[in-house]
């Protein structure tokens, strides 16, 4: 059992990258994982959170529940959750449980980072448009383009 839970964490622009330290993403790891994700998204502004699963060999039901919890926490803060470098057996479990409809899965960290960087750029453009519109009309962009 792997009990060394020191993740490698980087921040690049508006993206946080986390190389998970777990071999088995199980009950013990999931408690640490939930605390880590909560802390990261509370302390750091970001548009995307990338989780690198390259060291993870096994994910059990409690690990999957922790992943869903992370998705919910990220969604509440409008943060995109991306997974990368998953073993084929883990991808299969994630797809069987429908979790692949909640998160984006990439083969490696570089693909995930490219996607996150592009998404961050588009969000910044949208936010700049929203701010300009708000300055002119006194309300947010999203509130003023609703269909009747």
């Amino acid at each position: 059992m792997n009990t060394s839970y020191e993740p490698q964490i980087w921040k690049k622009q508006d993206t946080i990258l986390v190389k998970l330290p777990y071999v088995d993403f199980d009950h013990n790891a999931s408690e640490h994982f939930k605390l880590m994700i909560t802390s990261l998204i509370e302390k750091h502004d970001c548009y995307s959170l990338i989780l690198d699963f390259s060291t993870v060999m096994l994910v059990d039901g409690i690990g999957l529940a922790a992943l869903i919890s992370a998705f919910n926490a990220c969604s509440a803060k409008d943060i995109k959750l991306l997974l990368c470098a998953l073993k084929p057996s883990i991808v299969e479990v994630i797809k069987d449980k429908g979790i692949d409809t909640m998160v984006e899965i990439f083969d490696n960290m570089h693909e995930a980072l490219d996607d996150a960087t592009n998404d961050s750029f588009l969000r910044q453009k949208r936010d700049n448009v929203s701010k300009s519109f708000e300055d002119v009309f006194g309300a947010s962009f999203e509130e003023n383009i609703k269909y009747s």
Side-chain angles (χ1 to χ4, degrees):
M1 173 170 57
N2 180 11
T3 57
S4 173
Y5 294 147
E6 291 302 319
Q8 294 175 327
I9 302 171
W10 303 269
K11 185 168 184 188
K12 182 174 182 180
Q13 296 172 339
D14 296 322
T15 300
I16 296 174
L17 305 96
V18 180
K19 184 167 186 170
L20 297 176
Y22 322 117
V23 173
D24 296 335
F25 194 14
D26 56 10
H27 173 72
N28 293 324
S30 69
E31 292 304 313
H32 174 267
F33 174 78
K34 288 189 278 188
L35 292 171
M36 175 186 64
I37 296 300
T38 301
S39 176
L40 284 172
I41 65 175
E42 290 296 324
K43 292 179 182 176
H44 302 282
D45 288 331
C46 67
Y47 288 137
S48 302
L49 175 62
I50 301 173
L51 302 177
D52 180 341
F53 274 73
S54 59
T55 62
V56 179
M57 303 302 287
L58 172 94
V59 177
D60 70 6
I62 294 174
L64 291 174
L67 198 52
I68 293 169
S69 176
F71 168 76
N72 290 334
C74 287
S75 292
K77 294 200 166 272
D78 198 25
I79 297 170
K80 183 177 180 179
L81 183 61
L82 302 94
L83 312 180
C84 68
L86 291 94
K87 307 293 184 268
S89 60
I90 296 173
V91 172
E92 190 175 312
V93 170
I94 285 175
K95 286 183 175 182
D96 285 347
K97 300 299 180 189
I99 297 170
D100 62 317
T101 62
M102 300 178 206
V103 300
E104 292 188 42
I105 300 173
F106 295 88
D107 289 337
N108 58 59
M109 178 73 78
H110 298 289
E111 289 178 7
L113 188 56
D114 285 347
D115 184 83
T117 302
N118 185 47
D119 190 52
S120 176
F121 174 76
L122 294 175
R123 283 183 178 206
Q124 287 175 0
K125 288 286 196 187
R126 180 199 71 196
D127 291 348
N128 287 339
V129 169
S130 294
K131 287 177 186 170
S132 300
F133 194 89
E134 189 172 67
D135 290 343
V136 173
F137 295 100
S140 73
F141 188 73
E142 291 79 13
E143 291 172 355
N144 282 292
I145 61 168
K146 292 179 184 173
Y147 272 150
S148 303

